[in-house]
Amino acid sequence: MADHSSIEWTDATWNPITGCSIVSPGCTNCYAMKLAGTRLKHIDSRKGLTRDTVIGPVWSGEVRLNRQWLHQPIAWKKPRKIFVCAHGDLFAENVPDEWIDRVFAVMALAPRHTFQVLTKRSKRMREYLTQRDSRQRWRKDAVEVAGMNMVMEGVIPQARATVWPIPNVWLGVSAERQKEADDRVPELLATPAAIRFASAEPLLGPIRFDRIGEWTDTFQDCGGHPDPHWPTNAQDATWLNALVGEMGAEARDPSGKRLGDIDVGLRHEGGKLDWIIVGGESGHNARPMNPAWARSIRDQCAAASVPFFFKQWGEFGPAFNLDLRPTGLPWSGEAQTAVARGTATAEQATRRFGKRRAGRLLDGVEHNSMPEASA
């Protein structure tokens, strides 16, 4: 927990809850997991959260509520963007609802800040935030946190906990490949939020955010779609299927559009993503990110007028960048041809330069776009 951060898209990190578990390939080289099992393993907030294995420390699944840090953002006077649970996941399986209630109460009590919540547990986030009594629990906790006298005197903005969704809380999901995007983004879009965002970091494969949820299992049962780029695991768009439900494939919305055809990706009206972050992996065991994957998401965002933030190349950068290419490192004619044809693998299209040298320019441009913070 720190009131400043080197993460490019935030100002501070806040870790009221630490600990997690591995749920998908993006977790393999988690920096928080490695820190919890090495440099931080003996401090109270991390002790026992990992177990030693032949490949290094791995999350044990245990989670911890750090009460000593819970109220910290209330004391920070200067407005800032705050990354919530940077060393854990607020919606991890073993985190009780009561802990999440406390975190949301604090966020509601600190409207000068913008809180950025990022999770891989999109289904649990949606279920939690659509519970009928969740807001009442936050209000109760807000009173307990602030003290009844402060609320009665108007010092604490009690009404903030009743505004829905909370204006200063951004909700996001991590998605490293198309599968994770297909699983998580539709759940995010069904979750009440002032701002919805996706973090494609580490980006381990191509993602078409603009086509997520276009197809449902109703139509897959009828033979699917001839376009191989359309989602094939359509049942993952659970909330869209619920809209269709028992009404059948011909069910239509008030405008006459068939529900089964609703686009819940970047272009969906009333439920689109508000921001996308892209970044490559860093560290000793980093996996390369194909420049074509990053360019595709950049172009999807431009076409849909969605803010795009390119965080970093990570350990690997574009192989054809002559300014970065290490002296004497060969770049095969086969790789050059593959890059020119657009068929290069991530290994062919990149070279290892190190995070600092690779930098964060995408085709010579630094992309820093993000939504506006709430007033």
Side-chain angles (χ1 to χ4, degrees), residues 234-247:
Q235 63 269 25
D236 290 335
T238 53
W239 80 275
L240 182 56
N241 293 336
L243 283 178
V244 179
E246 297 180 357
M247 293 185 292

Side-chain angles (χ1 to χ4, degrees), residues 262-339:
I262 290 178
D263 174 4
V264 301
L266 281 168
R267 298 164 293 176
H268 177 52
E269 296 181 4
K272 75 173 189 175
L273 291 172
D274 300 294
W275 185 34
I276 294 183
I277 303 165
V278 168
E281 194 167 50
S282 56
H284 178 69
N285 296 316
R287 293 156 287 186
M289 172 180 64
N290 195 323
W293 305 340
R295 292 190 183 105
S296 172
I297 297 176
R298 174 200 61 192
D299 295 345
Q300 293 170 50
C301 288
S305 299
V306 172
F308 173 75
F309 195 103
F310 187 69
K311 181 176 177 288
Q312 63 177 28
W313 281 107
E315 195 70 19
F316 294 81
F320 51 82
N321 189 331
L322 299 180
D323 294 332
L324 290 177
R325 195 185 316 160
T327 303
L329 180 66
W331 188 34
S332 70
E334 179 185 356
Q336 294 182 51
T337 301
V339 168

